[in-house]
Amino acid sequence: MSKTKTIFFCQNCGAQSAKWIGHCPSCGEWNTYVEEIIRRDTGKNRTPVPGKKGDSKPVLIPEVEAVAEIRIDTHNHEFNRVLGGGLVPGSLILVGGEPGIGKSTLVLQAALNLKNLKVLYVTGEESEQQIKMRAERIGIQNQQCYVLTETLTQNIFQFIEQLQPELVVIDSIQTLHTDIIDSSAGSISQIRECAAEFQKYAKQSETPVILIGHITKDGVLAGPKILEHMVDTVLQFEGERNYGYRILRAAKNRFGSTSELGIYEMQSSGLREVSNPSEILLSHREESLSGIAIAAMMEGMRPMMIETQALVSSAAYGTPQRSSTGFDSRRLNMLLAVLEKRSGFRLGVKDVFLNIAGGLRVDDPAIDLAVVSAILSSNEDIPISQNICFASEVGLSGEIRSVNRIEQRIAEADKLGFEQIFISKYNLKGVDKSKLNIEIIPVGKIEEVFGKLFT
Ligand code: TYD
Ligand code: MG
């Protein structure tokens, strides 16, 4: 016997309540409660999930068998790296991203690359023909990749039972629905229940499952928090729509580090792995232009060189404008205030525009000195040589501060043929200069940098 009832769900955090409330006590958001019809079954006819079950019992930690960690190589270095070394059997992975960013392409490409694994690609969004067209575009032949257009989980599990795939892809979790709940596909209760079924399936059958999830306008996964708790790994696929670069980041990873990231370039024939990001992030200019400085920054564990561009001009209107792309605008204002107050540059009456090349967003504080140098270069209208790069944070009193992983940054700059790198003088210890061709210029204050660059 089953009875129908309705529950109000917070669309933000998935909290539930018997009656409508305006302010979610759990996440603090307003007006997020929506009524959803659910039919609670008595428990007997829950979805049967394939796989072995019912042999769990309590075990002492020292007695737990240590099994060698198995990783499935996806033959995609960037994807492997972000996953922490490959797919873990039985793991549930959520790939999130804005519509059109390339999630389906990324996952299909990875699936096609897994030539000796049987893959089931379940799509609720596109037809088989569309998937085939995409596969042809990517241009990888694979005889073991099945496509299924189906949205009802019970049917999907039937096919899984017949096919016994070694990897399951669901594109997307928001299109699925399960019989045991009456609300519409994409609602919080459906997403939660469907994800729970696949979680159970992944664990019981030791099959990795990749769920693709949409992101709402605010950049959070739709039906979000609940999903993040359930899955083992949350990957975010992001990038500026107008640039070809895409970045894959791990926001949560039970099997690896979250500081890794993978870089891809969207091409007409699928995603290309970018193994040397510095090459594409630096423009190769013939002549030197003012307002450009190159920073040696770290994205995750990877050093890369990136170009910062500044334009400083007299304010056209009364109030000077400050605008930045790819860099925190509050931090830009802080750096301008430091330049004004501590180092005496009259920038208060100037418009300042800042851009990080390549459409990247940078959080690494080591980019500060490059930003400051680009601003000063544009202000003085004197170019900085293309063979110079920077890696330092700038403090509130105009001091040049040390940054982490300086050796890696210097090594990358050296490898790419830079001739000089400006670093904090407090960063010098531990740097082994013997094998380097690059000249290290230690500095302590912005004035020293200015003196070395422009006078
Ligand atoms: P898609 O993977 O469908 O994005 P999502 O699943 O995240 O919604 O594809 C995104 C875009 O990528 C689409 O506008 C077309 C483009 N694209 C290429 O430029 N090259 C390709 O080889 C493919 C398959 C897609
Ligand atoms: Mg898609």
Side-chain angles (χ1 to χ4, degrees):
M1 204 190 81
S2 63
K3 66 175 194 244
T4 303
K5 70 172 189 176
T6 67
I7 284 193
F8 292 85
F9 279 99
C10 171
Q11 299 291 305
N12 185 50
C13 68
Q16 30 178 297
S17 156
K19 58 181 195 314
W20 188 85
I21 38 180
H23 183 226
C24 176
S26 160
C27 67
E29 286 293 311
W30 290 89
N31 285 333
T32 50
Y33 274 75
V34 173
E35 182 175 23
E36 288 181 11
I37 307 163
I38 58 165
R39 195 180 68 214
R40 280 264 169 249
D41 280 63
T42 40
K44 282 191 193 121
N45 39 356
R46 280 198 100 92
T47 315
V49 167
K52 54 177 186 313
K53 48 198 101 166
D55 56 353
S56 54
K57 59 176 192 306
V59 191
L60 287 168
I61 290 183
E63 284 162 24
V64 175
E65 265 178 77
V67 271
E69 197 187 54
I70 308 165
R71 296 271 182 166
I72 303 167
D73 181 4
T74 61
H75 302 288
N76 183 324
H77 290 298
E78 304 288 303
F79 199 41
N80 276 350
R81 185 205 334 263
V82 178
L83 286 170
L87 286 166
V88 175
S91 63
L92 189 63
I93 297 151
L94 177 65
V95 178
E98 284 175 32
I101 204 78
K103 301 179 293 300
S104 307
T105 310
L106 173 78
V107 177
L108 182 65
Q109 196 166 338
L112 291 175
N113 262 324
L114 285 167
K115 293 222 168 80
N116 37 19
L117 282 197
K118 204 193 273 178
V119 181
L120 177 63
Y121 191 102
V122 183
T123 168
E125 301 204 327
E126 291 163 301
S127 65
E128 286 146 18
Q129 283 75 23
Q130 280 172 306
I131 302 285
K132 184 174 167 68
M133 270 162 57
R134 181 174 295 134
E136 275 173 2
R137 219 172 145 180
I138 295 171
I140 304 172
Q141 298 293 326
N142 186 322
Q143 306 299 333
Q144 296 238 63
C145 188
Y146 294 81
V147 184
L148 170 67
T149 37
E150 178 59 69
T151 54
L152 186 66
T153 56
Q154 280 75 13
N155 292 349
I156 296 174
F157 283 122
Q158 270 182 14
F159 288 113
I160 287 181
E161 192 113 53
Q162 287 168 18
L163 210 59
Q164 296 290 333
E166 290 156 287
L167 170 69
V168 177
V169 176
I170 307 291
D171 188 2
S172 67
I173 183 75
Q174 275 95 352
T175 56
L176 291 191
H177 63 109
T178 170
D179 255 354
I180 59 166
I181 286 181
D182 279 345
S183 61
S184 59
S187 64
I188 293 277
S189 44
Q190 282 287 4
I191 292 177
R192 170 161 39 198
E193 195 60 40
C194 294
E197 286 175 13
F198 278 97
Q199 183 195 32
K200 203 164 144 200
Y201 161 69
K203 298 287 170 267
Q204 284 180 0
S205 63
E206 305 251 298
T207 312
V209 177
I210 300 180
L211 305 174
I212 294 179
H214 291 288
I215 269 185
T216 60
K217 322 188 259 313
D218 323 327
V220 288
L221 282 156
K225 291 282 177 273
I226 37 168
L227 274 182
E228 288 181 13
H229 291 306
M230 281 175 161
V231 300
D232 298 305
T233 304
V234 180
L235 303 182
Q236 266 159 7
F237 203 41
E238 47 195 57
E240 275 300 311
R241 199 69 82 76
N242 303 333
Y243 292 92
Y245 311 118
R246 301 283 182 270
I247 293 180
L248 185 69
R249 272 179 218 281
K252 162 182 176 181
N253 194 353
R254 287 193 183 140
F255 311 112
S257 139
T258 51
S259 58
E260 289 297 351
L261 95 181
I263 302 180
Y264 294 90
E265 188 180 357
M266 182 62 95
Q267 293 184 329
S268 56
S269 58
L271 290 158
R272 180 181 75 90
E273 295 174 48
V274 176
S275 42
N276 185 1
S278 302
E279 274 174 21
I280 53 163
L281 293 173
L282 297 178
S283 56
H284 299 278
R285 294 163 273 136
E286 296 279 293
E287 64 206 307
S288 290
L289 302 168
S290 69
I292 296 181
I294 294 162
M297 64 152 203
M298 301 287 298
E299 267 286 12
M301 300 307 209
R302 244 196 314 182
M304 59 175 91
M305 312 301 287
I306 193 162
E307 211 172 88
T308 58
Q309 306 167 337
L311 180 65
V312 179
S313 72
S314 303
Y317 308 101
T319 344
Q321 300 183 55
R322 273 76 212 275
S323 121
S324 71
T325 319
F327 185 73
D328 184 13
S329 52
R330 277 170 306 180
R331 188 138 189 107
L332 172 63
N333 282 329
M334 186 212 93
L335 291 175
L336 289 172
V338 169
L339 285 176
E340 179 98 25
K341 170 95 183 169
R342 301 286 177 193
S343 317
F345 297 101
R346 314 292 310 156
L347 294 166
V349 292
K350 302 279 179 74
D351 285 344
V352 178
F353 304 96
L354 185 78
N355 182 30
I356 307 291
L360 243 68
R361 269 211 66 82
V362 180
D363 297 324
D364 185 356
I367 196 175
D368 284 359
L369 189 58
V371 169
V372 164
S373 305
I375 292 170
L376 292 177
S377 159
S378 176
N379 194 38
E380 301 295 316
D381 206 13
I382 302 176
I384 299 174
S385 159
Q386 294 183 34
N387 298 321
I388 298 180
C389 62
F390 304 86
S392 255
E393 189 180 340
V394 174
L396 279 181
S397 55
E399 83 277 22
I400 310 291
R401 303 172 61 106
S402 55
V403 290
N404 62 2
R405 301 184 185 278
I406 192 72
E407 288 211 317
Q408 258 175 290
R409 298 175 200 262
I410 296 174
E412 174 79 3
D414 190 41
K415 198 173 84 193
L416 292 171
F418 283 86
E419 287 164 13
Q420 293 182 325
I421 182 165
F422 281 68
I423 65 167
S424 162
K425 62 181 181 193
Y426 307 106
N427 240 162
L428 267 182
K429 41 176 186 315
V431 178
D432 176 15
K433 281 184 253 181
S434 56
K435 289 200 203 79
L436 300 170
N437 295 320
I438 194 167
E439 183 189 354
I440 296 174
I441 305 185
V443 279
K445 286 227 163 288
I446 291 182
E447 290 87 328
E448 286 172 45
V449 182
F450 185 84
K452 288 195 183 347
L453 286 175
F454 306 116
T455 51

